[in-house]
Amino acid sequence: MEYKDYYQILGVGRDADADAIKAAYRRMARRYHPDVSKEANAEDRFKEVQEAYEVLKDPEKRRAYDQLGSNWRAGQEFRPPPGWENFHAGFGGPQDAAGMGGFSDFFEELFAQSRGGRRGGGFRAQGEDTQATLAISLEDAAHGVQREIALELPGLGPDGRLQRQTRRLTVKIPKGITAGQRLRIAGQGQPGLGGGPAGDLYLLVDFLPHPQFRVEGRDLYHDLKVTPWEAVLGASVEVPTLDGPVRTKVPAGSNCGQKLRLKGKGLPGSAGKEGGDLYAVIQIVVPKTLSEQDRALWQQLAEHTHFHPRR
């Protein structure tokens, strides 16, 4: 079965409104009507024009047709996608087209006009699922929260076609959610056809950049800045966590890049999964400006120390 590009047949773009489609149909019908046209293939072209107009003038049929996507080319081998058999349309074509043998197999397959008789039940189908990105803070993920959000989502416009609309939703973010997980909100996807149920909305969770932490799975990483003498002598320092600051010990002789593990201070677990840890990554920071007294002390240390790391 060959795909038919109804927009190409009428010579209009996919964004054409109802008036443009009607005007194009009248123009093409006059051109190819068998009673007046001199073209050899006028009868076949006239039936194609009738068929294209029958679909594109009806908001629900047009939306169902548009769901096939815009990547198909006229004449390309086509099979309806899985689940299309659940779409129903009790349909009778215009008398002119019906008198010339009805519409194409492509039309009959899509809109349920079978050769053995029409299917009843009216045109009805569930809407497609929709996905959007939800950016949240690490604090929201760690503690769980209920948030009001506004998203641009597909909805039905006055002409029955899909258009982007601002929708406000209340979303419950569970404690311990991680980046890449999806939240399902039932019935907030694309609207159904012919009164059918709407699809679902899936929110793909992403984390907002954090000024103090990097995230790997459920583990957090924090660059812990220490002075040279704290790294050499050891020290008790304060480390930020998602639950507030805690103190930890910097071992004597610590090196830059060394990791101090704070068990259980990462993102909490969920659904039976273990929580993550916080790793404080030591970054030794040296002073950029020195007083005369400080410079003399550093010079004295340099002259008396026996430590030479490049030997």
Side-chain angles (χ1 to χ4, degrees), residues 20-305:
I21 289 172
K22 187 175 183 179
Y25 164 69
R26 288 178 174 175
R27 183 174 61 253
M28 300 293 283
R30 283 196 300 268
R31 177 179 176 182
Y32 292 113
H33 198 287
D35 293 341
V36 297
S37 178
K38 302 297 184 181
E39 299 192 30
N41 62 343
E43 184 174 310
D44 291 337
R45 292 298 304 273
F46 183 70
K47 286 195 294 185
E48 284 187 331
V49 169
Q50 291 274 30
E51 180 177 321
Y53 183 59
E54 185 63 33
V55 173
L56 299 186
K57 75 176 183 179
D58 185 307
E60 291 190 349
K61 288 189 179 73
R62 182 179 181 180
R63 186 151 61 93
Y65 175 74
D66 287 346
Q67 284 184 0
L68 297 175
S70 58
N71 297 323
W72 293 93
R73 298 188 303 273
Q76 185 177 0
E77 184 67 18
F78 173 81
R79 287 291 179 269
W84 194 270
E85 64 274 8
N86 295 325
F87 291 7
H88 300 291
F91 170 77
Q95 290 183 349
D96 287 342
M100 289 183 284
F103 290 150
S104 67
D105 291 343
F106 174 77
F107 180 93
E108 292 180 357
E109 186 69 26
L110 292 187
F111 298 104
Q113 183 184 352
S114 64
R115 293 180 179 83
R118 299 172 189 163
R119 301 176 189 171
F123 193 85
R124 177 181 172 87
Q126 181 172 344
E128 292 186 348
D129 293 337
T130 302
Q131 180 167 292
T133 299
L134 176 64
I136 64 174
S137 67
L138 289 179
E139 287 79 5
D140 285 350
H143 304 127
V145 70
Q146 184 168 289
R147 280 181 51 188
E148 300 288 332
I149 63 173
L151 294 174
E152 290 288 324
L153 298 172
L156 288 182
D159 60 354
R161 299 198 71 196
L162 287 177
Q163 64 181 32
R164 305 295 289 183
Q165 299 175 343
T166 300
R167 200 181 307 171
R168 296 190 176 278
L169 302 171
T170 300
V171 178
K172 184 177 181 180
I173 300 170
K175 179 180 178 179
I177 196 168
T178 58
Q181 287 187 260
R182 297 198 306 171
L183 296 175
R184 174 177 172 265
I185 305 179
Q188 293 295 331
Q190 290 192 14
L193 300 172
D200 297 331
L201 170 64
Y202 289 89
L203 296 176
L204 181 65
V205 174
D206 193 14
F207 287 151
L208 294 167
H210 198 281
Q212 294 179 306
F213 304 111
R214 300 185 300 278
V215 187
E216 292 185 15
R218 296 184 186 275
D219 293 332
L220 302 179
Y221 290 80
H222 169 73
D223 288 334
L224 180 62
K225 297 178 181 179
V226 300
T227 63
W229 50 92
E230 287 175 326
V232 172
L233 303 174
S236 176
V237 299
E238 194 173 80
V239 179
T241 76
L242 292 174
D243 296 318
V246 298
R247 298 200 71 83
T248 192
K249 184 178 180 181
V250 176
S254 293
N255 287 315
C256 192
Q258 185 173 331
K259 298 175 184 177
L260 307 178
R261 180 188 178 204
L262 282 71
K263 184 174 175 58
K265 292 298 183 180
L267 290 173
S270 64
K273 295 182 179 179
E274 187 177 355
D277 300 324
L278 170 62
Y279 292 90
V281 184
I282 292 177
Q283 303 293 334
I284 301 174
V285 182
V286 300
K288 292 185 177 181
T289 58
L290 295 172
S291 65
E292 290 298 323
Q293 183 179 4
D294 287 343
R295 183 177 296 278
L297 291 172
W298 283 105
Q299 186 65 41
Q300 184 179 358
L301 175 63
E303 292 172 355
H304 289 82
T305 185

